[in-house]
Amino acid sequence: INEETGIIRVFKMPELRSDLILSISFYHQKYYIGTYGGGLYILDPKTLILSDFAPESSFTFQKGHIFCLTPDIRGDLWIGTSEGVYRYSENSGKPCLYNSTNSQMPEGNVYDIFFDSTHKGWICTDRGLCIYDVSSESIKSNIFPVGFPVREKFRMVYEDSGNNLYFLPDKGDVFITDLSMSSFGNFPLKFDMKYSNAYKSVIEDNYGNIWLGCYNSLLRTASTCNRVSVFGFNGGLPAQSFMNNALEKDETV
């Protein structure tokens, strides 16, 4: 959708191999589009030409699952897939693959890759967490302190203005830690658990409140206490189920 020109273009099957879009990232003036079971595409917004991401012949980029697309501070694009993590630079043209055979990364799907304010890359997989260490340019899973839920299946990571990291699990409580992993634990939420059994999205507003999109409600935690406000149909929501990464913030909130 281009509001300036009024152009609206729809891309769907069979032009796409899959109609389930998991991730989109604007990288080097083009849109990279990850699908479930249909690989990775590139959309040029100037020409509206949709093409395959094909730096090499790969099952992953043709028929695999592309869960996340995350640019880093160096200008590389990190691609979380069903086969591991790819690091891609447009200048080199060939992505570098990290998986359990050449790194400490656990096996399984890679759901999220998040670079925090210190430029560490937090990687969430089916079988737990690992970290991309910038100084050594390697992926490690043996650097977590005792008690850190390194084997937990997390879907998303988010950093707030106080440099706290929030981890949304596949099931269970939200986990929070500081950047150095010296202070960590479950995020204190006190409310009727009937309003949530799965956290899907998290974001902080300009007043320091944390918003959580859940399976069946929208929650807001006050910045000064543990009080939780619950929003549902009565609060103006047209529907109560949230998908992953569904919350966004504009400059007014």
Side-chain angles (χ1 to χ4, degrees), residues 75-87:
D76 294 340
L77 182 66
W78 291 74
I79 308 169
T81 77
S82 47
E83 305 298 327
V85 170
Y86 287 87
R87 180 183 182 182

Side-chain angles (χ1 to χ4, degrees), residues 1-11 15 43 45 48:
I1 300 173
N2 188 318
E3 294 182 344
E4 294 181 357
T5 63
I7 292 177
I8 298 176
R9 173 72 191 277
V10 179
F11 300 89
E15 190 173 8
L43 174 63
L48 295 182

Side-chain angles (χ1 to χ4, degrees), residues 144-155:
F144 295 94
V146 175
F148 205 92
V150 64
R151 301 302 179 192
E152 183 70 53
K153 182 179 179 180
F154 291 109
R155 293 281 187 170

Side-chain angles (χ1 to χ4, degrees), residues 88-151:
Y88 172 69
S89 171
E90 192 176 56
N91 295 328
S92 66
K94 185 176 181 179
C96 175
L97 174 63
Y98 299 92
N99 57 28
S100 60
T101 65
N102 61 6
S103 72
Q104 296 179 16
M105 181 184 298
E107 293 181 354
N109 297 328
V110 177
Y111 297 116
D112 192 26
I113 304 169
F114 178 81
F115 289 94
D116 65 26
S117 54
T118 66
H119 312 311
K120 290 197 301 291
W122 298 81
I123 301 172
C124 303
T125 78
D126 262 329
R127 300 187 180 182
L129 289 170
C130 54
I131 290 179
Y132 174 74
D133 179 61
V134 179
S135 59
S136 63
E137 294 195 349
S138 62
I139 293 178
K140 302 177 179 179
S141 62
N142 61 354
I143 59 176
F144 295 94
V146 175
F148 205 92
V150 64
R151 301 302 179 192

Side-chain angles (χ1 to χ4, degrees), residues 194-214:
K194 71 180 181 181
Y195 292 113
S196 175
N197 55 11
Y199 299 99
K200 299 292 186 178
S201 188
V202 57
I203 203 163
E204 181 186 24
D205 64 24
N206 291 346
Y207 303 99
N209 301 311
I210 297 297
W211 294 74
L212 290 161
C214 306

Side-chain angles (χ1 to χ4, degrees), residues 188-244:
L189 292 172
K190 297 180 180 180
F191 67 103
D192 190 336
M193 288 303 294
K194 71 180 181 181
Y195 292 113
S196 175
N197 55 11
Y199 299 99
K200 299 292 186 178
S201 188
V202 57
I203 203 163
E204 181 186 24
D205 64 24
N206 291 346
Y207 303 99
N209 301 311
I210 297 297
W211 294 74
L212 290 161
C214 306
Y215 178 74
N216 57 1
S217 58
L218 176 65
L219 309 180
R220 182 188 65 188
T221 68
S223 58
T224 56
C225 64
N226 294 337
R227 182 173 56 85
V228 177
S229 300
V230 181
F231 298 88
F233 290 121
N234 293 335
L237 291 180
Q240 295 185 195
S241 296
F242 284 81
M243 301 299 290
N244 294 335

